[in-house]
Amino acid sequence: MSVAMQYLFQGWNTRGNGKYKDLILDTGSEEIGHVEMIATMIAQLLDDAPVDPQENAFESDPAIAAVMGGMDLQHAIVTGLGPTAKDSNGVPCNGSYITASGNLLADFHSNINAESQGHLQMAEHLSIKMSQKCWEKNLF
């Protein structure tokens, strides 16, 4: 969501050549599509989720019961267990991290940095997963 918001606000703040404004706004719209796909996937994964295994685990293991006892009731009541505009720690989405300076070149540099960090983190994650698989294959 932060990427979508950043591109949209940058597009709305762009002055001058309309093709750059359209480029950034189109990119922001594409990012909203990514948010929609993830939100739909979460909702579909939660549809018809069986509760019996959870109830059995709750009754048989006090550690699981303690974790499950801390359920976010607001999430269940307000959103019906659907996706919310919060980060993984439950902090609501806000605009304090959005870079939209009105300077198109500076905003492009900010976007390149953000996209590069995303690619770098994904490559590192995949590298760790691949090395774990190789290690497990050689171990067994």
Side-chain angles (χ1 to χ4, degrees), residues 9-16 99-108:
F9 276 96
Q10 287 174 353
W12 295 326
N13 285 333
T14 299
R15 306 289 184 267
T99 303
S101 66
N103 180 331
L104 188 59
L105 187 58
D107 288 347
F108 275 149

Side-chain angles (χ1 to χ4, degrees), residues 9-131:
F9 276 96
Q10 287 174 353
W12 295 326
N13 285 333
T14 299
R15 306 289 184 267
N17 194 329
K19 69 179 181 180
Y20 298 116
K21 180 175 187 154
D22 290 344
L23 173 72
I24 294 178
L25 288 173
D26 288 348
T27 306
S29 299
E30 178 195 0
E31 294 298 331
I32 288 176
H34 296 162
V35 172
E36 179 188 10
M37 286 188 291
I38 291 170
T40 301
M41 180 183 66
I42 291 169
Q44 288 177 350
L45 288 171
L46 291 173
D47 282 347
D48 302 323
V51 235
D52 294 339
Q54 292 176 5
E55 290 174 353
N56 295 339
F58 184 84
E59 292 169 1
S60 65
D61 188 343
I64 292 177
V67 171
M68 291 177 70
M71 181 179 169
D72 182 0
L73 292 177
Q74 182 183 19
H75 186 214
I77 295 169
V78 175
T79 68
L81 294 176
T84 62
K86 298 179 180 179
D87 67 12
S88 59
N89 295 318
V91 177
C93 181
N94 64 51
S96 63
Y97 43 80
I98 302 300
T99 303
S101 66
N103 180 331
L104 188 59
L105 187 58
D107 288 347
F108 275 149
H109 282 285
S110 174
N111 296 342
I112 290 170
N113 183 46
E115 296 285 348
S116 298
Q117 287 296 319
H119 287 283
L120 180 64
Q121 290 173 7
M122 181 55 77
E124 186 175 308
H125 175 73
L126 292 175
S127 173
I128 291 169
K129 287 291 186 190
M130 293 301 292
S131 62

